[in-house]
């Protein structure tokens, strides 16, 4: 059924039935008779549920996925969007190839929906708060390097606020930036956005040291003060395009007039660790991804000139939308939690330093 239609086109209805091209006569006529505050027509002819549906379709880029998220059938979604479109007097979506996108009118309605829905969601929390109970939803987008701490912070947060549903999106820097621009989540843990502007709020968060990692059996694991040029002939495992770590590594090599010899590209920090242990090469990883291995595994940090690359995460959100009460509460909670993250990093650093001392002693 849904599978045979192009993505986003609602099953059980034609493209046009979901995306009317012209307003109905009734709608066009009645829309001119507005109430005293000028918005009476929309108040009488649209429903909050329709606005919620439109918000979900724009965010997810598909009628099908919006229907799934809101536990509705596709024909119901199509019918409601058709009614909304008639009330507004313009088509709200158009077909672009196999995808759908909002029309200009759709975008305007979407912007208004977000404000209305966010006000309602905050009201829900404030009312719930009055009853001594916080309820609602938190959408978090984090870098792959932050996935090693975000679930833990969320776990502690949800113990304090058990009524809150959380969704966590883990992806690389480029995708997080896209999500930030698309207002897909409430809050992000990411590096500093390159182009900061008034619309983006960034709050410095925990350090994110990027370290050079090799197998404990690697001959360089027992050496100190290795010049970067000594790595030029090593096989390198690099993250995928779009990764912030990848950009940082290439920039570091480029600053020394060098290019790493890339043997393999992998899109996962965990897969890279396995590849290093498997003897496929060396790589740069976030120290956060190595805290478990620091207790005695098969990975060592190399003492290379210019490393670790000292970076910092930021808590980031778009000012274009009011930060929900839940997101603000989580932000404060995460800031309070930061010392624990730093302590974990310091412990990992100490463990790896002790391991290096042993490896240096063995090789001399
Ligand atoms: P990423 O993370 O490589 O997954 O984009 C970047 C970072 O931690 O700075």
């Amino acid at each position: 059924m849904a599978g045979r239609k192009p993505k986003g086109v609602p099953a059980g209805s034609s493209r046009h039935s979901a995306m009317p091209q012209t307003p109905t006569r009734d709608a066009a006529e009645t829309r001119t008779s507005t109430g005293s505050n000028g918005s009476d027509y929309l108040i009488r002819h649209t429903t909050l549920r329709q606005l919620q549906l439109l918000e979900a379709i724009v965010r997810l880029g598909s009628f099908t996925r919006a229907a799934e998220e809101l536990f509705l059938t596709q024909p119901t979604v199509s019918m409601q969007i058709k009614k909304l479109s008639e009330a507004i007097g313009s088509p709200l979506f158009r077909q672009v190839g196999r995808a759908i996108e909002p029309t200009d009118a759709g975008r305007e309605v979407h912007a208004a929906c977000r404000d209305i829905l966010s006000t309602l969601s905050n009201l829900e929390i404030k009312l719930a708060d009055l009853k001594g109970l916080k309820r609602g939803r938190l959408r978090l987008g984090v870098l792959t390097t932050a996935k090693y701490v975000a679930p833990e912070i969320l776990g502690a947060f949800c113990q304090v606020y058990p009524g809150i549903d959380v969704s966590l999106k883990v992806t690389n820097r480029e995708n997080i930036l896209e999500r930030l621009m698309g207002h897909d989540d409430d809050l992000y843990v990411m590096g500093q956005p390159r182009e900061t502007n008034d619309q983006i709020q960034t709050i410095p968060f925990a350090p994110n040291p990027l370290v050079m990692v090799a197998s404990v059996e690697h001959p360089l694991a027992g050496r100190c003060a290795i010049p970067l040029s000594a790595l030029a002939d090593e096989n390198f495992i690099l993250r995928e395009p779009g990764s912030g770590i990848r950009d940082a590594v290439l920039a570091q090599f480029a600053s020394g007039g060098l290019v790493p010899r890339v043997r393999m590209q992998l899109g996962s920090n965990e897969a890279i660790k396995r590849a290093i242990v498997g003897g496929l090469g060396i790589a740069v990883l976030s120290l956060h991804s190595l805290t478990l291995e620091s207790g005695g595994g098969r990975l060592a940090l190399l003492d290379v000139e210019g490393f670790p690359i000292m970076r910092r995460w930021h808590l980031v959100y778009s000012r274009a939308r009011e930060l929900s009460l839940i997101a603000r509460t989580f932000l404060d909670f995460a800031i309070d939690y930061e010392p624990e993250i730093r302590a974990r990093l310091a412990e990992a650093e100490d463990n790896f330093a002790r391991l290096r001392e042993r490896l240096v002693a063995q090789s001399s």
Side-chain angles (χ1 to χ4, degrees):
M1 201 178 67
R4 270 180 263 124
K5 283 185 169 274
K7 181 180 160 223
V9 177
S13 62
S14 73
R15 291 173 180 203
H16 297 289
S17 70
M19 289 164 272
Q21 300 305 303
T22 49
T24 63
R25 191 152 177 260
D26 272 0
E29 278 167 3
T30 325
R31 254 194 336 280
T32 55
S33 65
T34 54
S36 54
N37 65 4
S39 57
D40 192 38
Y41 182 84
L42 287 181
I43 290 173
R44 279 187 291 117
H45 289 86
T46 60
T47 66
L48 288 171
R49 189 63 161 166
Q50 287 168 349
L51 298 186
Q52 186 190 27
L53 277 173
L54 180 120
E55 190 281 330
I57 296 167
V58 174
R59 175 167 41 83
L60 299 168
S62 146
F63 278 64
T64 315
R65 286 166 60 196
E68 278 164 14
E69 181 175 285
L70 294 167
F71 302 106
L72 292 171
T73 63
Q74 275 194 352
T76 305
V77 172
S78 305
M79 178 53 67
Q80 290 304 321
I81 292 298
K82 184 168 182 277
K83 283 189 181 159
L84 180 61
S85 174
E86 283 168 3
I88 299 292
S90 294
L92 297 169
F93 292 98
R94 66 170 151 256
Q95 194 81 34
V96 181
R98 290 169 66 83
I100 49 146
E101 66 174 30
T103 58
D104 288 347
R107 269 184 235 285
E108 286 299 329
V109 179
H110 178 240
C113 285
R114 296 192 83 127
D115 289 347
I116 295 166
L117 295 175
S118 123
T119 303
L120 279 178
S121 141
N122 278 345
L123 174 64
E124 203 174 297
I125 300 165
K126 281 176 190 156
L127 293 176
D129 235 1
L130 291 177
K131 297 180 208 149
L133 166 89
K134 282 190 190 289
R135 282 199 299 139
R137 190 151 193 223
L138 173 67
R139 290 200 194 106
L140 207 60
V142 308
L143 285 177
T144 67
T145 51
K147 79 170 177 195
Y148 296 91
V149 302
E152 186 186 314
I153 307 175
L154 280 172
F157 181 72
C158 289
Q159 271 186 358
V160 183
Y161 303 106
I164 293 177
D165 292 334
V166 176
S167 83
L168 176 66
K169 177 74 189 174
V170 178
T171 185
N172 69 22
R173 178 180 168 86
E174 190 173 294
N175 294 332
I176 288 286
L177 281 170
E178 259 176 40
R179 293 182 73 87
L180 171 66
M181 295 308 153
H183 309 295
D184 288 352
D185 311 278
D186 299 311
L187 198 61
Y188 299 89
V189 180
M190 59 180 295
Q192 174 113 37
R194 222 164 283 131
E195 286 162 26
T196 43
N197 60 44
D198 293 351
Q199 292 300 305
I200 296 170
Q201 177 71 44
T202 58
I203 299 155
F205 191 47
N208 178 26
L210 303 184
V211 290
M212 187 71 77
V213 190
S215 151
V216 278
E217 276 126 41
H218 195 287
L220 291 176
R223 275 194 38 202
C224 292
I226 306 163
L228 192 57
S229 56
L231 300 186
D233 291 332
E234 292 295 328
N235 287 323
F236 229 85
I237 308 163
L238 202 59
R239 282 280 305 278
E240 78 289 358
S243 147
I245 298 186
R246 176 194 176 99
D247 292 349
V249 174
L250 294 177
Q252 189 74 349
F253 272 78
S255 69
L258 301 163
V259 180
R261 195 172 77 180
V262 180
R263 164 125 188 230
M264 183 182 267
Q265 294 195 40
L266 287 175
S268 138
N269 299 320
E270 290 304 308
I272 290 181
K273 286 195 261 177
R274 297 272 170 158
I276 297 171
V277 171
L280 289 167
I282 62 173
V284 174
L285 290 169
S286 161
L287 187 56
H288 289 286
S289 64
L290 296 162
T291 49
L292 290 181
E293 286 80 1
S294 74
R298 297 171 62 195
L299 297 173
L301 304 194
L302 299 187
D303 180 14
V304 180
E305 162 203 21
F307 283 86
I309 301 173
M310 285 312 295
R311 308 224 319 175
R312 197 163 183 183
W313 286 327
H314 291 72
L315 294 163
V316 179
Y317 61 90
S318 164
R319 285 208 187 110
R321 278 171 68 193
E322 195 197 346
L323 198 59
S324 76
L325 199 59
I326 291 180
R328 177 149 302 284
T329 309
F330 179 78
L331 189 120
D332 293 341
F333 190 91
I335 291 169
D336 287 347
Y337 203 89
E338 196 207 3
E340 295 210 26
I341 303 171
R342 284 181 183 267
R344 189 104 30 85
L345 272 186
E347 193 186 321
E349 257 160 12
D350 285 352
N351 288 341
F352 276 122
R354 273 198 294 276
L355 171 66
R356 179 174 312 127
E357 277 167 25
R358 282 205 302 279
L359 293 171
V360 171
Q362 276 167 22
S363 65
S364 57

